[in-house]
Amino acid sequence: MDSYLVAILTVAGIYLILALALNLQFGLTGLINFGVVGFYGLGAYASGIATETFHAPFLAGLLAALIIGAIAGALVALLSLRLSGDFLAIVTLGFAETIRLVFNNEDWLTHGPSGFIIMTRPVIAGLSRTATSWMVLGVILLAALLVLLLMMRLAGTPYGRVLRAVREDDLVPATLGKNIFMYRLQAFVLGSAIMAGTGSLYAHYVQTITPDNFTTPVAILVWMSVIVGGAGNMKGTVLGALAVVFIYEGTRFIGPWLTMLDAEQISALRFIIIGVALILMIRFRPEGLLPEAYQRPAEAASRITPSKG
């Protein structure tokens, strides 16, 4: 039971980091990124290739994932950020599917559907299985804490207030001399790099990755974490990620009560339950469990000083 709890907390930490990155892009800046799993998977494979093919240490693999994620985020942003919300969502969704197909077909690089085996761990080698699991959990929770502190710090600065102003009405900060495109680009690149770094942590945790690990249902759970917790509120994201992961994992225990259903049907039912929970949340509490502190647009605009930046 202890090992199962450690596994759930580890997964929750991974989803929390992804949700914090998405909350930066969507919650603070208003950018609709449906390509979460594209950056997530890109970081996982980049780190795996760096450590297993080129025999680099874990930290070098993590750095490679962050750099690849930032470059990919910049390319996607430069191509699509001038589009409106719906078109940006379609572009990012297409990016994620393209990346998954590359993973699935380029056997010489990713080993295709058979899976990419990763032996490097982010902890000291030679420990027992239980000790290793606890140490990996510690590494992921430490990473989640650092990202949370970074996002909370960023959200409370004048930079974060500009991002909120861009989200609400980009004409207001534009009239004050702010470069709207650059702010969106920076937020998208930073969020994408963090998603890729999370992919590195995930890859070295599970040690075998396949293209099926980076599909749309994963992105749905990340989006739910942001929506349930409260878009724009980083503390709410923590609560949302924990709630979504524990609901999703908790539904594993409904199998013995539904003997008339096979494993595939129970798996589908779990997502139905999550979907119903999301619908109820949007219907009765659309602002999330911990809503973002409301600030009048006029007050927010008055706190943005004119500049050429």
Side-chain angles (χ1 to χ4, degrees), residues 250-259 261 266-267 269-270 273:
T251 52
R252 291 182 184 274
F253 299 101
I254 65 176
W257 301 91
L258 301 172
T259 55
L261 301 179
I266 291 176
S267 178
L269 180 61
R270 293 170 64 197
I273 293 173

Side-chain angles (χ1 to χ4, degrees), residues 59-124:
L59 289 178
L62 176 61
L63 180 61
L66 292 170
I67 293 173
I68 292 296
I71 293 174
L75 291 175
V76 173
L78 289 172
L79 292 173
S80 59
L81 281 189
R82 297 190 186 278
L83 301 174
S84 62
D86 293 342
F87 292 103
L88 175 60
I90 293 173
V91 169
T92 54
L93 184 62
F95 164 78
E97 185 61 18
T98 300
I99 293 297
R100 190 188 68 82
L101 290 174
V102 171
F103 294 158
N104 203 48
N105 291 281
E106 298 302 323
D107 292 8
W108 65 275
L109 182 64
T110 65
H111 302 173
S114 61
F116 193 99
I117 299 176
I118 300 172
M119 300 305 297
T120 306
R121 302 304 296 267
V123 295
I124 302 172

Side-chain angles (χ1 to χ4, degrees), residues 271-288:
F271 272 99
I272 292 174
I273 293 173
I274 291 177
V276 171
L278 179 60
I279 292 172
L280 293 175
M281 174 63 68
I282 293 175
R283 171 62 180 84
F284 295 105
R285 196 173 177 83
E287 69 277 10

Side-chain angles (χ1 to χ4, degrees), residues 19-38:
L20 288 169
L22 180 61
N23 209 359
L24 168 64
Q25 295 175 337
F26 174 71
L28 285 186
T29 319
L31 301 174
I32 303 176
N33 179 11
F34 285 159
V36 173
V37 290

